[in-house]
Amino acid sequence: EQKKMIKKDLREFFKTKRNSLSKKKSEELSFEIANRSLKMDIWNHSNYHVFFPIEKNNEIDTKLIIQVVHGKDKNVILPKINFKNNTITNFLLTDSTLMKINEFGISEPQSGIEISEKQIDVVFVPLLCFDNTGHRVGYGGGYYDRLLKKCSSSTIKIGLSFFGPIEKIDDINQTDIKMDYCISPNKIYKF
């Protein structure tokens, strides 16, 4: 019988897989992902939420996507994690935004112009893996599940992944929010 694909195991497996990429390889793949985002029909909005990578974890370099958003003359919205109640507050990135490294090692805005979830048009979602239906395995904190629930139903949700999809995540629950797209280095998946 086939082993169940559960989030906990998938999280471990894909973390290891991601960590085995060389720095150079992950930079190349990040560049491919940012390039693919340019080909998508998502650039007629205003507010684009982008997460910053945890560099030491070999995450996708989303600073390239931030450059794309700025190049399109759109607003970049950055997350700030509130550790007291495990939520995300969103701030507009401006020239005067003060950035500081949080306890996860993520660079985040200290303060500034706060943007409500309902104002976010497009959100780039961090993940470790995703399946053929657009469900994702995140990092396990639930931050983005909570953020996405507060977003408008029309908010476009885009996962970013170094790797292609797996068949199916077996322990999806009712509250898990699906993505509309996922960008991998060689393909854009639409759900």
Side-chain angles (χ1 to χ4, degrees):
E1 164 191 41
Q2 202 193 351
K3 191 171 172 311
K4 281 244 184 273
M5 293 285 200
I6 61 169
K7 292 177 188 171
K8 183 173 155 291
D9 297 346
L10 289 165
R11 199 168 280 132
E12 286 313 302
F13 178 80
F14 279 93
K15 267 186 185 162
T16 306
K17 192 169 167 166
R18 191 176 66 186
N19 284 336
S20 69
L21 294 171
S22 69
K23 185 92 182 93
K24 185 171 185 301
K25 187 67 181 164
S26 64
E27 278 168 12
E28 279 168 20
L29 297 176
S30 295
F31 186 75
E32 295 292 329
I33 289 168
N35 259 348
R36 277 199 194 278
S37 74
L38 279 166
K39 302 183 174 67
M40 296 176 72
D41 185 16
I42 55 169
W43 299 109
N44 52 344
H45 301 283
S46 304
N47 294 329
Y48 295 75
H49 172 108
V50 190
F51 61 96
F52 253 74
I54 305 177
E55 314 238 340
K56 64 177 193 303
N57 290 359
N58 219 12
E59 290 184 12
I60 291 166
D61 184 1
T62 45
K63 295 201 273 305
L64 299 167
I65 291 195
I66 290 174
Q67 285 170 6
V68 169
V69 177
H70 274 156
K72 297 269 185 193
D73 230 3
K74 307 293 183 179
N75 295 329
V76 171
I77 314 300
L78 293 177
K80 177 179 176 23
I81 293 176
N82 182 338
F83 290 98
K84 282 197 190 63
N85 57 7
N86 291 345
T87 56
I88 288 175
T89 310
N90 305 283
F91 289 103
L92 178 67
L93 176 59
T94 67
D95 292 339
S96 58
T97 303
L98 278 176
M99 303 295 287
K100 191 170 161 209
I101 305 274
N102 72 11
E103 51 200 78
F104 284 150
I106 305 169
S107 186
E108 59 178 23
Q110 282 318 283
S111 59
I113 301 165
E114 200 174 315
I115 304 289
S116 84
E117 291 84 5
K118 293 280 184 269
Q119 293 171 282
I120 297 172
D121 300 304
V122 175
V123 57
F124 290 96
V125 185
L127 54 85
L128 280 158
C129 85
F130 67 106
D131 70 12
N132 286 324
T133 59
H135 281 107
R136 65 187 257 279
V137 174
Y139 299 151
Y143 292 101
Y144 271 83
D145 291 316
R146 287 188 286 274
L147 172 75
L148 296 172
K149 274 190 196 62
K150 295 180 194 162
C151 288
S152 146
S153 59
S154 61
T155 300
I156 301 169
K157 298 169 281 300
I158 305 174
L160 303 175
S161 177
F162 282 141
F163 311 110
I166 63 163
E167 190 57 40
K168 180 175 183 288
I169 299 163
D170 285 313
D171 56 342
I172 289 300
N173 60 45
Q174 285 325 111
T175 57
D176 289 344
I177 293 180
K178 277 174 33 162
M179 295 173 303
D180 301 303
Y181 298 94
C182 194
I183 312 177
S184 78
N186 41 20
K187 193 173 171 193
I188 295 166
Y189 298 85
K190 187 177 196 309
F191 306 109

